Amino acid sequence: MNELIFVTTNAGKVASLQHYFDSASIDIHVKAVPLDIVEIQAHTALEVARDKAERAFKQLELPLVVDDSEFRINALNGFPGPYQKYMVETLGPEGVVRLMEGHDDRSAYFVSNLVFVDQQGMHHEFSDDPFNVTIVAHYDDTVPEYAWGALGKICVMEGSDKVQSLMTPEERATLDASRHSTDAYEKFVAWYKERDE
């Protein structure tokens, strides 16, 4: 079985990518490799992902993937964008809900960006279509954390009435299918399969 390095500490991301490979009948084991890479400040998560991928490839000199996502709140002019991790670490999900007080528009969206670096060091980039959510009006600290991160405790997917953390994998898959859009991981795996045929 071939192995693909995923430079991340997020088990949810690794499991998601592995699921897409398995569903496409591609015999690959996705292996998480945490690297201490300083993230640049940039306007988009794609720029951050590109830089991280380049630095990771210089360290490992092996094919790898890097994912970086952004969370944009429409009422806050797209804040925090690629700084979502810092925002959540600083404010917590409860603080994000408080930040929305006084705003009627509670819409936001995620965009995930995956950068694959091949053996020759060439970059191949894949980005989601925007993944629309609504931020809840009240924080419930009994809600468990979502595999992808704490924002799943306060974000309701378009077409659902539950926060992401409380949805079953089947419910999420059904909603994903109904969005008529393709996420970055799915695009990458489809490209990878076509490339190897």
Side-chain angles (χ1 to χ4, degrees):
M1 180 181 282
N2 293 326
E3 191 171 77
L4 177 63
I5 292 171
F6 196 156
V7 179
T8 186
T9 57
N10 188 316
K13 291 181 177 184
V14 174
S16 291
L17 185 56
Q18 186 67 65
H19 168 75
Y20 279 118
F21 274 118
D22 294 346
S23 296
S25 300
I26 301 174
D27 195 23
I28 282 194
H29 171 67
V30 181
K31 178 183 176 184
V33 174
L35 292 179
D36 190 17
I37 298 173
V38 176
E39 289 190 7
I40 62 167
Q41 292 189 6
H43 292 294
T44 68
L46 181 56
E47 293 170 88
V48 176
R50 284 175 186 149
D51 184 74
K52 280 168 53 177
E54 195 167 305
R55 291 169 189 253
F57 185 75
K58 283 180 182 173
Q59 284 187 45
L60 300 176
E61 297 182 345
L62 291 168
L64 55 85
V65 290
V66 169
D67 175 312
D68 205 87
S69 59
E70 54 197 78
F71 177 61
R72 297 195 175 270
I73 301 171
N74 294 316
L76 303 181
N77 297 317
F79 175 81
Y83 304 108
Q84 66 168 321
K85 183 177 177 183
Y86 178 73
M87 180 189 71
V88 172
E89 287 173 352
T90 305
L91 301 176
E94 184 178 10
V96 177
V97 173
R98 279 197 310 270
L99 201 60
M100 295 304 297
E101 288 175 6
H103 292 283
D104 293 329
D105 181 3
R106 304 185 75 82
S107 64
Y109 62 93
F110 292 93
V111 175
S112 185
N113 305 277
L114 190 142
V115 176
F116 170 65
V117 185
D118 64 24
Q119 188 65 53
Q120 288 71 43
M122 297 291 295
H123 290 203
H124 307 273
E125 301 172 356
F126 308 86
S127 296
D128 287 344
D129 298 327
F131 185 86
N132 297 313
V133 297
T134 301
I135 299 170
V136 296
H138 304 287
Y139 178 70
D140 180 353
D141 64 357
T142 65
V143 172
E145 187 160 314
Y146 181 44
W148 277 53
L151 289 173
K153 298 174 72 163
I154 62 168
C155 290
V156 178
M157 288 174 63
E158 193 172 54
S160 176
D161 59 358
K162 298 180 187 175
V163 293
Q164 290 173 283
S165 295
L166 296 179
M167 294 177 70
T168 65
E170 294 75 24
E171 287 172 327
R172 283 194 291 272
T174 299
L175 270 184
D176 283 344
S178 72
R179 289 191 312 138
H180 303 295
S181 59
T182 311
D183 73 23
Y185 290 28
E186 193 175 354
K187 290 175 182 178
F188 167 60
V189 169
W191 172 86
Y192 196 96
K193 184 172 187 175
E194 191 175 283
R195 162 183 175 260
D196 276 6
E197 286 176 351

